[in-house]
Amino acid sequence: MPLNDAPLLRALAGDRPETTPVWFMRQAGRSLPEYRDLRVGTRMLDACLTPDLAAEITLQPVRRHKVDAGIFFSDIVVPLRLAGVEVEIEPGRGPVFAAPVRTAADVDRITAIDPDSLDTTQIAEAVRLVVAELGDATPLIGFAGAPFTLAAYLVEGGPSKEHLRARAMMHTDPDSWNRLAGWLARISRTFLDAQRAAGASAVQLFDSWAGSLSPADYRAFVAPHSAAAVDGIDAPVIHFGVGTGPFLADMRLDGRADAVGVDWRLPLDEAVAVLGDDVTVQGNIDPALLTAPWPVLEAHVRDVLRRGTTARAHILNLGHGVPPETDPAVLTRIVELVHEVRAESGIAAAGAGE
């Protein structure tokens, strides 16, 4: 089967394959015992930057779950590390930066780094290893963090619940904010281009913290930079953010996104009513239900599939990432269920058995 006929790529192009394509955000990682075994003694960012290790981690869930896409194993701060920014991922906390970016002088310092100077050799090699094993059967999705989420970490110096400093910078010093976010858009684009050039078939821009923004702030200070990160990229684009229901239509990035990911808060048919019928939707199983009894989870998955039939095409996924305590057998069972439901049968088939 030519790769262009893969269900995921057909769905991104607006077609409806015979079965709904399915993959899971954070499918490569802590929920898999083989991942935990492989990571013993290796720090997160070191794993991301070791080609054979990153490739093997990317491939593990494809082999186990038989999902319809691999997602490149990385972290949103990897391109910043490649740019020479001092960052570490602290277990149980997340990315922590030695020198937060909070003043105009800080912005001058960091934006003096040329995004085109990033050495992406290790990333490209890891992607090539993955693509060689996946062959024509399964596409690989490239991955990058969106400018706002990267900026939120940089300005706060680490994880934050409300991102007060980052949101304040937008209004107190909009010039510095836009220079920083614009630079981050170029950083993300360089990272995506490296994955695409090495063989990734699609890309996803991930905005973990966009839900902390008002619609007005998102439109004025964030959307233009996210759009710049993917503008003209030679690959289908998936755009996902958490808590973005209040400005979901803006997540289309003026048509630059071929698919919009929807988190668990908004039913897919309601999301489609907002997004329109000319974009693919991705989502949106509630990750909390992965620990529910199977009949409860099965009914939920079938409901998501049914609601997804209102879109031009649907990619089944979670409404966020796989929690680390998830039983991998549950994910495999979801994939088997989704592949048993014929997408062309539509609402009636997806709802059967409820």
Side-chain angles (χ1 to χ4, degrees), residues 128-196:
R128 282 192 288 267
L129 291 171
V130 173
V131 171
E133 177 158 335
L134 293 178
D136 291 336
T138 308
L140 176 67
I141 302 170
F143 164 85
F148 173 73
T149 289
L150 292 175
Y153 279 120
L154 274 171
V155 177
E156 302 293 341
S160 168
K161 290 184 177 180
E162 297 183 327
H163 317 107
L164 293 176
R165 290 188 179 95
R167 292 193 288 118
M169 182 187 284
M170 296 174 180
H171 298 278
T172 59
D173 190 352
D175 177 67
S176 291
W177 169 264
N178 285 313
R179 286 191 296 121
L180 176 62
W183 179 79
L184 289 167
R186 293 179 60 203
I187 289 286
S188 291
R189 179 55 177 270
T190 298
F191 194 56
L192 290 174
D193 281 341
Q195 295 169 70
R196 173 61 177 147

Side-chain angles (χ1 to χ4, degrees), residues 45 49 66 134 173 177 231 235 246 274-275 301 336:
L45 292 180
L49 292 170
K66 305 299 188 291
L134 293 178
D173 190 352
W177 169 264
D231 187 38
V274 173
L275 290 166
V301 173
E336 293 171 347

